[in-house]
Amino acid sequence: MAYRHPLRPKVSPEEYKLLLRLRERKPAQNPPKPIIKMGDRLSDGFAAVMGSWRFIIIQSVILSIWVMLNGVAFVKHWDPYPFILLNLVLSFQAAYAAPIIMMSQNRQAAVDRQEAKHDYEVNMKAELEIGLLHDKVDLLREQEIVELKNLLLKQQKQIEQLEEFIRQKESSE
């Protein structure tokens, strides 16, 4: 029996080209390194401070002192009830804090997208490599089966020759 053609690879030519590109880039060994600018560091630090319990506690203490001092002031109220100046200060804080925190979130989202893309490339390379390994194992198994079949055929011929030799030997006796 003639040797069959090897199994068709399960990886398409486009996927193989992608695999070659990914092999050159070695994505698993070269994770993305985001460039963090000074403004990014500032917005990250600001967001970390604004989003902490420490900030909330300190701000709550300051607001309580402000309200108490203005509420019980005997001599002069610098911000009498309904605390217009306090509302203005808190409005300014919110007006500046929100965009800075959003800048930090946008930068983190960009980093997350870049990491997700990197993870996808690593996973794609692994999937394609595993597919090629499966093809190689299947090909080796197929070659082994062909070799075993050829050996069995050869052995069968030898057995037939031995049987013929024994028949001739018995008939000559």
Side-chain angles (χ1 to χ4, degrees):
M1 175 166 191
Y3 178 69
R4 277 185 14 182
H5 291 291
L7 296 175
R8 297 277 183 235
K10 295 172 186 81
V11 177
S12 71
E14 295 82 21
E15 289 174 327
Y16 190 72
K17 288 177 186 175
L18 173 63
L19 177 61
L20 292 177
R21 282 196 310 271
L22 290 172
R23 282 179 178 170
E24 289 174 12
R25 288 190 36 228
K26 298 180 181 177
Q29 297 172 359
N30 299 315
K33 295 169 186 77
I35 300 168
I36 301 175
K37 300 175 186 170
M38 180 64 139
D40 295 336
R41 273 186 256 136
L42 284 173
S43 66
D44 287 348
F46 188 82
V49 169
M50 292 286 290
S52 69
W53 277 108
R54 182 177 169 199
F55 175 79
I56 291 172
I57 292 169
I58 291 172
Q59 183 170 2
S60 298
V61 168
I62 291 172
L63 292 176
S64 299
I65 292 171
W66 182 292
V67 170
M68 283 191 306
L69 288 177
N70 277 295
V72 296
F74 294 113
V75 179
K76 184 173 181 183
H77 299 274
W78 73 87
D79 187 19
Y81 182 82
F83 309 116
I84 304 293
L85 183 59
L86 178 62
N87 283 329
L88 181 64
V89 169
L90 292 175
S91 295
F92 268 107
Q93 178 188 5
Y96 284 99
I100 293 172
I101 291 170
M102 287 177 67
M103 283 188 273
S104 176
Q105 289 174 339
N106 289 341
R107 190 195 65 75
Q108 187 59 48
V111 168
D112 291 344
R113 276 191 303 276
Q114 188 177 15
E115 287 177 358
K117 180 182 176 193
H118 174 259
D119 289 345
Y120 174 77
E121 289 175 349
V122 169
N123 291 339
M124 179 63 76
K125 181 182 178 198
E127 181 182 344
L128 293 172
E129 291 285 5
I130 289 169
L132 288 177
L133 286 174
H134 278 288
D135 290 342
K136 287 178 184 179
V137 168
D138 291 344
L139 180 62
L140 287 172
R141 280 187 181 161
E142 185 178 292
Q143 289 172 347
E144 190 175 68
I145 289 171
V146 168
E147 286 178 34
L148 286 172
K149 187 173 182 180
N150 289 336
L151 286 173
L152 285 172
L153 289 173
K154 197 177 192 182
Q155 196 173 36
Q156 186 178 8
K157 284 181 184 179
Q158 288 176 345
I159 291 172
E160 288 171 0
Q161 288 173 352
L162 281 172
E163 286 175 345
E164 182 64 31
F165 178 74
I166 291 173
R167 268 190 239 120
Q168 286 178 357
K169 195 81 160 155
E170 287 177 349
S171 65
S172 66
E173 292 180 355

